Amino acid sequence: MQNLLRNLRFSFRMLLKNPGLTVTILLTLALGVGANTAIFTVDYATLLQPLPYPKPDQLVVVWSKIQGYHNGMSAGDFTDWKRESTVFQDLNAWTGGAFNLASKDQPEQIDGRMVTPGFYRMLGTPMFLGRDFLPEEGQVGRDHEVILTHKLWKRLGSNPNIVGQTLRLNAEPYTVVGVLAPGLYDRGQGDITVPLAFKPEQLNHDFHWLLTMGRLKPGVTLEQARADMDSVTAHIAQQYPKSNKGWGAFVEPLKNDFMPKERIRTLWMLLGAVGFVLLIACVNVANLLLARSMARQKEMAVRASLGASPKTIFAQLLTERDRK
Protein backbone atom coordinates (compact mmCIF):
# COMPACT_ATOMS: atom_id res chain seq x y z
CA MET A 1 0.00 0.00 0.00
CA GLN A 2 2.84 2.39 0.78
CA ASN A 3 4.43 1.70 -2.61
CA LEU A 4 1.08 2.31 -4.31
CA LEU A 5 0.60 5.64 -2.52
CA ARG A 6 4.15 6.67 -3.36
CA ASN A 7 3.61 5.77 -7.03
CA LEU A 8 0.33 7.69 -7.08
CA ARG A 9 1.96 10.81 -5.66
CA PHE A 10 4.79 10.58 -8.17
CA SER A 11 2.45 10.01 -11.12
CA PHE A 12 0.33 12.98 -10.06
CA ARG A 13 3.43 15.18 -10.06
CA MET A 14 4.30 13.87 -13.54
CA LEU A 15 0.82 14.77 -14.78
CA LEU A 16 1.19 18.33 -13.50
CA LYS A 17 4.66 18.51 -15.02
CA ASN A 18 3.31 17.60 -18.50
CA PRO A 19 -0.08 19.31 -18.77
CA GLY A 20 -0.08 19.31 -22.57
CA LEU A 21 0.32 15.54 -22.79
CA THR A 22 -2.21 14.97 -20.00
CA VAL A 23 -4.89 17.16 -21.60
CA THR A 24 -4.32 15.58 -25.02
CA ILE A 25 -4.74 12.05 -23.64
CA LEU A 26 -7.83 12.98 -21.62
CA LEU A 27 -9.51 14.68 -24.59
CA THR A 28 -8.67 11.76 -26.91
CA LEU A 29 -10.13 9.19 -24.51
CA ALA A 30 -13.13 11.40 -23.72
CA LEU A 31 -13.97 11.59 -27.42
CA GLY A 32 -13.82 7.83 -27.88
CA VAL A 33 -15.55 6.85 -24.63
CA GLY A 34 -18.19 9.60 -24.87
CA ALA A 35 -19.23 8.68 -28.42
CA ASN A 36 -19.44 4.98 -27.50
CA THR A 37 -21.46 5.69 -24.37
CA ALA A 38 -23.95 7.86 -26.26
CA ILE A 39 -24.52 5.40 -29.12
CA PHE A 40 -24.60 2.33 -26.85
CA THR A 41 -27.23 4.04 -24.69
CA VAL A 42 -29.42 4.53 -27.78
CA ASP A 43 -28.81 0.99 -29.05
CA TYR A 44 -29.56 -0.54 -25.67
CA ALA A 45 -32.80 1.39 -25.26
CA THR A 46 -34.02 0.52 -28.78
CA LEU A 47 -32.51 -2.89 -29.57
CA LEU A 48 -31.21 -4.65 -26.47
CA GLN A 49 -33.36 -3.68 -23.51
CA PRO A 50 -35.81 -6.46 -22.53
CA LEU A 51 -39.48 -5.77 -23.17
CA PRO A 52 -41.39 -4.63 -20.06
CA TYR A 53 -43.72 -7.64 -20.08
CA PRO A 54 -43.76 -11.00 -18.28
CA LYS A 55 -42.11 -13.73 -20.40
CA PRO A 56 -41.58 -11.38 -23.36
CA ASP A 57 -40.11 -14.16 -25.54
CA GLN A 58 -43.60 -15.64 -25.85
CA LEU A 59 -45.02 -12.46 -27.40
CA VAL A 60 -45.23 -12.42 -31.19
CA VAL A 61 -46.73 -10.28 -33.92
CA VAL A 62 -48.72 -12.09 -36.60
CA TRP A 63 -48.90 -10.39 -39.98
CA SER A 64 -50.76 -11.26 -43.12
CA LYS A 65 -48.36 -12.16 -45.94
CA ILE A 66 -48.92 -11.50 -49.62
CA GLN A 67 -46.17 -11.98 -52.21
CA GLY A 68 -43.58 -11.92 -49.43
CA TYR A 69 -44.72 -8.56 -48.01
CA HIS A 70 -46.22 -7.69 -44.62
CA ASN A 71 -49.82 -6.57 -44.43
CA GLY A 72 -52.53 -6.11 -41.86
CA MET A 73 -55.27 -8.67 -41.57
CA SER A 74 -59.00 -8.63 -42.06
CA ALA A 75 -61.49 -9.17 -39.28
CA GLY A 76 -62.55 -12.43 -40.92
CA ASP A 77 -58.95 -13.65 -41.01
CA PHE A 78 -58.43 -12.74 -37.37
CA THR A 79 -61.49 -14.61 -36.12
CA ASP A 80 -60.55 -17.66 -38.20
CA TRP A 81 -56.94 -17.52 -36.98
CA LYS A 82 -58.08 -17.37 -33.37
CA ARG A 83 -60.49 -20.28 -33.84
CA GLU A 84 -58.21 -22.61 -35.81
CA SER A 85 -54.69 -21.98 -34.48
CA THR A 86 -53.42 -24.25 -31.71
CA VAL A 87 -50.12 -22.63 -30.69
CA PHE A 88 -51.31 -19.46 -28.95
CA GLN A 89 -52.37 -18.93 -25.37
CA ASP A 90 -54.24 -15.90 -26.67
CA LEU A 91 -54.49 -13.86 -29.84
CA ASN A 92 -55.67 -10.26 -29.89
CA ALA A 93 -56.20 -7.59 -32.52
CA TRP A 94 -56.06 -3.83 -32.34
CA THR A 95 -56.28 -0.73 -34.49
CA GLY A 96 -55.90 2.99 -33.95
CA GLY A 97 -58.62 5.58 -33.62
CA ALA A 98 -59.43 9.14 -32.63
CA PHE A 99 -62.04 10.14 -30.04
CA ASN A 100 -63.74 13.41 -29.20
CA LEU A 101 -63.60 13.70 -25.42
CA ALA A 102 -66.08 16.07 -23.74
CA SER A 103 -64.15 17.14 -20.63
CA LYS A 104 -65.08 19.74 -18.02
CA ASP A 105 -62.74 22.31 -19.54
CA GLN A 106 -63.38 21.96 -23.26
CA PRO A 107 -63.94 19.28 -25.90
CA GLU A 108 -60.76 17.83 -27.35
CA GLN A 109 -59.73 15.14 -29.79
CA ILE A 110 -57.59 12.37 -28.29
CA ASP A 111 -55.76 9.57 -30.07
CA GLY A 112 -56.53 6.09 -28.84
CA ARG A 113 -56.81 2.46 -29.80
CA MET A 114 -59.44 -0.21 -30.10
CA VAL A 115 -58.42 -3.65 -28.81
CA THR A 116 -60.10 -7.01 -28.44
CA PRO A 117 -60.88 -7.91 -24.80
CA GLY A 118 -57.93 -9.51 -23.06
CA PHE A 119 -55.28 -7.49 -24.91
CA TYR A 120 -53.67 -5.98 -21.79
CA ARG A 121 -54.15 -9.18 -19.82
CA MET A 122 -52.29 -11.10 -22.54
CA LEU A 123 -49.39 -8.64 -22.43
CA GLY A 124 -49.29 -8.71 -18.63
CA THR A 125 -49.77 -4.95 -18.44
CA PRO A 126 -50.55 -3.95 -14.83
CA MET A 127 -53.56 -1.80 -14.02
CA PHE A 128 -53.27 1.17 -11.70
CA LEU A 129 -57.03 1.15 -11.16
CA GLY A 130 -59.76 -1.20 -12.31
CA ARG A 131 -59.46 -4.04 -14.81
CA ASP A 132 -59.07 -5.09 -18.43
CA PHE A 133 -62.09 -5.56 -20.70
CA LEU A 134 -64.26 -8.62 -20.15
CA PRO A 135 -64.95 -11.03 -23.06
CA GLU A 136 -68.59 -9.96 -23.30
CA GLU A 137 -67.52 -6.33 -23.70
CA GLY A 138 -66.21 -7.20 -27.15
CA GLN A 139 -69.78 -7.55 -28.45
CA VAL A 140 -71.56 -4.81 -30.37
CA GLY A 141 -73.87 -2.93 -28.03
CA ARG A 142 -71.85 -3.86 -24.94
CA ASP A 143 -68.64 -2.18 -25.99
CA HIS A 144 -69.05 1.24 -24.34
CA GLU A 145 -66.25 0.86 -21.80
CA VAL A 146 -62.96 2.73 -21.73
CA ILE A 147 -59.48 2.33 -20.22
CA LEU A 148 -57.37 5.44 -19.65
CA THR A 149 -53.63 5.89 -19.53
CA HIS A 150 -52.21 7.11 -16.24
CA LYS A 151 -51.20 10.36 -17.97
CA LEU A 152 -54.75 11.11 -19.10
CA TRP A 153 -56.14 10.11 -15.70
CA LYS A 154 -53.89 12.70 -14.05
CA ARG A 155 -54.91 15.32 -16.61
CA LEU A 156 -58.56 14.63 -15.82
CA GLY A 157 -58.02 15.35 -12.13
CA SER A 158 -56.46 12.15 -10.66
CA ASN A 159 -59.81 11.00 -9.30
CA PRO A 160 -59.16 7.73 -7.36
CA ASN A 161 -62.84 6.83 -7.75
CA ILE A 162 -62.98 7.29 -11.53
CA VAL A 163 -63.67 3.58 -12.18
CA GLY A 164 -67.37 3.24 -12.81
CA GLN A 165 -67.84 6.87 -13.81
CA THR A 166 -68.91 7.98 -17.28
CA LEU A 167 -66.99 9.86 -19.95
CA ARG A 168 -68.55 11.15 -23.15
CA LEU A 169 -66.61 9.97 -26.20
CA ASN A 170 -67.85 10.87 -29.67
CA ALA A 171 -71.04 12.19 -28.00
CA GLU A 172 -71.77 8.78 -26.43
CA PRO A 173 -71.40 7.64 -22.79
CA TYR A 174 -68.52 5.30 -21.98
CA THR A 175 -67.93 3.73 -18.56
CA VAL A 176 -64.39 3.88 -17.21
CA VAL A 177 -63.34 0.36 -16.20
CA GLY A 178 -59.59 0.84 -15.73
CA VAL A 179 -56.53 3.07 -15.60
CA LEU A 180 -53.19 1.74 -16.87
CA ALA A 181 -50.15 1.83 -14.60
CA PRO A 182 -47.72 4.71 -15.27
CA GLY A 183 -44.88 4.04 -17.64
CA LEU A 184 -44.81 2.62 -21.16
CA TYR A 185 -48.25 3.71 -22.39
CA ASP A 186 -47.80 7.25 -21.07
CA ARG A 187 -45.06 7.73 -23.68
CA GLY A 188 -47.25 6.66 -26.59
CA GLN A 189 -49.78 8.62 -28.59
CA GLY A 190 -52.93 6.73 -27.60
CA ASP A 191 -54.44 7.84 -24.28
CA ILE A 192 -57.78 6.01 -24.58
CA THR A 193 -58.58 2.35 -25.18
CA VAL A 194 -62.03 1.02 -26.04
CA PRO A 195 -63.16 -2.53 -26.89
CA LEU A 196 -62.88 -3.66 -30.49
CA ALA A 197 -66.26 -5.16 -31.40
CA PHE A 198 -66.81 -6.42 -34.94
CA LYS A 199 -70.02 -5.51 -36.67
CA PRO A 200 -71.45 -8.18 -39.03
CA GLU A 201 -70.45 -6.22 -42.13
CA GLN A 202 -66.84 -6.02 -40.86
CA LEU A 203 -66.42 -9.79 -40.64
CA ASN A 204 -65.09 -10.19 -44.17
CA HIS A 205 -61.78 -11.34 -45.65
CA ASP A 206 -61.25 -8.43 -48.03
CA PHE A 207 -60.54 -5.33 -45.94
CA HIS A 208 -57.16 -5.59 -44.18
CA TRP A 209 -57.17 -3.06 -41.34
CA LEU A 210 -56.08 -4.85 -38.16
CA LEU A 211 -52.82 -5.67 -36.40
CA THR A 212 -52.54 -8.88 -34.40
CA MET A 213 -50.38 -9.88 -31.44
CA GLY A 214 -50.28 -13.24 -29.71
CA ARG A 215 -48.68 -15.04 -26.80
CA LEU A 216 -47.30 -18.49 -27.58
CA LYS A 217 -48.06 -21.45 -25.37
CA PRO A 218 -45.19 -22.56 -23.12
CA GLY A 219 -42.64 -24.61 -25.05
CA VAL A 220 -43.92 -23.60 -28.50
CA THR A 221 -41.15 -22.36 -30.81
CA LEU A 222 -41.40 -19.79 -33.57
CA GLU A 223 -40.91 -22.53 -36.15
CA GLN A 224 -43.84 -24.49 -34.75
CA ALA A 225 -46.00 -21.35 -34.69
CA ARG A 226 -45.11 -20.56 -38.31
CA ALA A 227 -45.90 -24.11 -39.41
CA ASP A 228 -49.25 -23.94 -37.61
CA MET A 229 -50.15 -20.60 -39.20
CA ASP A 230 -49.13 -21.90 -42.64
CA SER A 231 -51.62 -24.71 -42.16
CA VAL A 232 -54.32 -22.34 -40.89
CA THR A 233 -53.93 -19.83 -43.74
CA ALA A 234 -53.88 -22.62 -46.34
CA HIS A 235 -57.16 -23.95 -44.97
CA ILE A 236 -58.72 -20.45 -45.02
CA ALA A 237 -57.53 -19.98 -48.62
CA GLN A 238 -59.38 -23.17 -49.58
CA GLN A 239 -62.56 -21.88 -47.93
CA TYR A 240 -62.32 -18.36 -49.40
CA PRO A 241 -60.28 -18.67 -52.61
CA LYS A 242 -61.56 -15.39 -54.06
CA SER A 243 -60.20 -13.26 -51.17
CA ASN A 244 -57.48 -15.42 -49.60
CA LYS A 245 -55.71 -17.22 -52.42
CA GLY A 246 -51.98 -16.47 -52.15
CA TRP A 247 -52.26 -15.08 -48.62
CA GLY A 248 -50.18 -16.48 -45.76
CA ALA A 249 -48.89 -15.28 -42.40
CA PHE A 250 -45.66 -14.10 -40.78
CA VAL A 251 -45.05 -14.94 -37.11
CA GLU A 252 -42.30 -12.72 -35.69
CA PRO A 253 -41.00 -11.85 -32.20
CA LEU A 254 -42.54 -8.68 -30.80
CA LYS A 255 -39.15 -7.21 -29.89
CA ASN A 256 -38.13 -4.65 -32.53
CA ASP A 257 -40.77 -5.95 -34.94
CA PHE A 258 -42.25 -2.53 -35.65
CA MET A 259 -38.83 -0.92 -36.17
CA PRO A 260 -37.76 -0.69 -39.84
CA LYS A 261 -34.95 -3.10 -40.71
CA GLU A 262 -32.98 -0.22 -42.22
CA ARG A 263 -33.06 1.66 -38.90
CA ILE A 264 -31.88 -1.41 -36.98
CA ARG A 265 -29.02 -1.86 -39.41
CA THR A 266 -28.10 1.82 -39.12
CA LEU A 267 -27.99 1.64 -35.31
CA TRP A 268 -25.65 -1.36 -35.38
CA MET A 269 -23.46 0.37 -37.96
CA LEU A 270 -23.26 3.46 -35.76
CA LEU A 271 -22.16 1.33 -32.81
CA GLY A 272 -19.48 -0.28 -34.95
CA ALA A 273 -18.32 3.12 -36.20
CA VAL A 274 -17.93 4.64 -32.74
CA GLY A 275 -16.19 1.45 -31.60
CA PHE A 276 -13.67 2.05 -34.37
CA VAL A 277 -13.30 5.65 -33.16
CA LEU A 278 -12.49 4.34 -29.66
CA LEU A 279 -9.93 1.95 -31.14
CA ILE A 280 -8.23 4.83 -32.98
CA ALA A 281 -8.26 6.88 -29.77
CA CYS A 282 -6.57 4.05 -27.86
CA VAL A 283 -3.92 3.65 -30.58
CA ASN A 284 -3.20 7.39 -30.51
CA VAL A 285 -2.87 7.36 -26.72
CA ALA A 286 -0.56 4.34 -26.94
CA ASN A 287 1.62 6.18 -29.47
CA LEU A 288 1.77 9.25 -27.21
CA LEU A 289 2.77 7.15 -24.21
CA LEU A 290 5.33 5.26 -26.29
CA ALA A 291 6.89 8.52 -27.41
CA ARG A 292 6.87 9.73 -23.81
CA SER A 293 8.53 6.53 -22.60
CA MET A 294 11.29 6.91 -25.18
CA ALA A 295 12.01 10.35 -23.73
CA ARG A 296 12.21 8.81 -20.23
CA GLN A 297 14.80 6.15 -21.03
CA LYS A 298 17.45 8.05 -19.08
CA GLU A 299 15.14 8.31 -16.06
CA MET A 300 14.42 4.57 -16.13
CA ALA A 301 18.14 3.82 -16.37
CA VAL A 302 18.84 5.99 -13.33
CA ARG A 303 16.04 4.32 -11.33
CA ALA A 304 17.41 0.89 -12.25
CA SER A 305 20.94 1.84 -11.30
CA LEU A 306 19.69 3.03 -7.90
CA GLY A 307 18.27 -0.41 -7.22
CA ALA A 308 14.69 -0.28 -8.59
CA SER A 309 13.61 -3.73 -9.77
CA PRO A 310 11.82 -4.25 -13.12
CA LYS A 311 8.69 -5.06 -11.10
CA THR A 312 8.87 -1.72 -9.29
CA ILE A 313 9.42 0.21 -12.52
CA PHE A 314 6.53 -1.62 -14.17
CA ALA A 315 4.24 -0.86 -11.23
CA GLN A 316 5.16 2.82 -11.45
CA LEU A 317 4.45 2.99 -15.18
CA LEU A 318 1.18 1.10 -14.75
CA THR A 319 0.07 3.53 -12.03
CA GLU A 320 0.83 6.45 -14.34
CA ARG A 321 -1.24 4.90 -17.14
CA ASP A 322 -4.16 4.38 -14.74
CA ARG A 323 -3.94 7.98 -13.62
CA LYS A 324 -4.19 9.10 -17.20
Side-chain angles (χ1 to χ4, degrees), residues 18 288-300:
N18 300 278
L288 289 171
L289 294 177
L290 180 61
R292 176 61 183 163
S293 64
M294 294 295 292
R296 297 179 63 187
Q297 283 184 332
K298 183 177 180 180
E299 175 195 339
M300 295 300 109

Side-chain angles (χ1 to χ4, degrees), residues 6-303:
R6 184 173 61 251
N7 289 338
L8 287 173
R9 288 194 297 268
F10 181 77
S11 63
F12 187 73
R13 290 198 300 270
M14 293 298 294
L15 290 177
L16 294 179
K17 187 177 178 181
N18 300 278
L21 177 65
T22 302
V23 171
T24 301
I25 291 176
L26 289 176
L27 290 178
T28 302
L29 291 177
L31 175 63
V33 174
N36 274 267
T37 301
I39 298 302
F40 180 78
T41 300
V42 174
D43 277 26
Y44 180 80
T46 55
L47 302 177
L48 303 174
Q49 187 175 24
L51 294 172
Y53 305 115
K55 299 181 179 179
D57 293 342
Q58 293 180 344
L59 293 173
V60 295
V61 180
V62 188
W63 298 87
S64 282
K65 176 175 65 174
I66 181 66
Q67 297 180 351
Y69 292 98
H70 293 68
N71 206 326
M73 71 288 308
S74 64
D77 285 344
F78 168 73
T79 54
D80 287 345
W81 289 1
K82 189 161 185 173
R83 183 179 62 253
E84 296 187 21
S85 64
T86 60
V87 294
F88 299 105
Q89 297 181 53
D90 201 359
L91 197 66
N92 284 280
W94 83 96
T95 187
F99 302 88
N100 294 315
L101 171 63
S103 61
K104 294 180 180 179
D105 299 328
Q106 62 180 5
E108 57 180 315
Q109 188 176 73
I110 295 179
D111 290 330
R113 60 181 66 87
M114 295 179 284
V115 305
T116 52
F119 179 82
Y120 291 119
R121 188 164 48 252
M122 177 192 71
L123 290 176
T125 302
M127 290 286 171
F128 180 73
L129 296 172
R131 57 169 175 81
D132 195 1
F133 299 127
L134 301 175
E136 58 268 24
E137 292 169 347
Q139 301 173 11
V140 176
R142 304 182 64 179
D143 55 346
H144 276 50
E145 286 77 27
V146 60
I147 295 174
L148 312 178
T149 62
H150 191 268
K151 177 178 65 175
L152 180 59
W153 172 74
K154 290 181 66 176
R155 191 151 59 85
L156 294 177
S158 303
N159 181 3
N161 300 314
I162 196 171
V163 173
Q165 296 192 7
T166 300
L167 292 180
R168 293 196 66 81
L169 301 176
N170 297 335
E172 296 182 6
Y174 280 74
T175 302
V176 178
V177 297
V179 176
L180 295 172
L184 176 65
Y185 290 97
D186 290 333
R187 298 190 290 271
Q189 294 181 343
D191 287 329
I192 282 178
T193 307
V194 300
L196 177 59
F198 299 120
K199 300 176 181 177
E201 62 270 19
Q202 291 178 313
L203 290 172
N204 60 70
H205 295 265
D206 300 305
F207 183 37
H208 293 252
W209 57 291
L210 297 172
L211 297 174
T212 297
M213 189 183 303
R215 181 178 285 276
L216 298 176
K217 293 180 179 178
V220 173
T221 64
L222 281 174
E223 289 71 23
Q224 290 172 327
R226 288 163 180 161
D228 179 76
M229 286 305 300
D230 286 342
S231 175
V232 168
T233 53
H235 181 249
I236 296 173
Q238 292 178 351
Q239 290 182 304
Y240 307 97
K242 185 176 294 186
S243 59
N244 284 66
K245 184 179 180 180
W247 286 82
F250 289 110
V251 182
E252 300 175 344
L254 173 60
K255 187 175 178 62
N256 300 327
D257 189 72
F258 291 96
M259 186 178 296
K261 300 295 186 292
E262 296 78 11
R263 186 176 302 171
I264 294 175
R265 185 165 55 249
T266 298
L267 288 172
W268 284 120
M269 290 176 63
L270 281 174
L271 187 60
V274 295
F276 190 66
V277 170
L278 180 59
L279 177 62
I280 294 175
C282 292
V283 171
N284 288 336
V285 170
N287 287 333
L288 289 171
L289 294 177
L290 180 61
R292 176 61 183 163
S293 64
M294 294 295 292
R296 297 179 63 187
Q297 283 184 332
K298 183 177 180 180
E299 175 195 339
M300 295 300 109
V302 171
R303 290 168 66 88

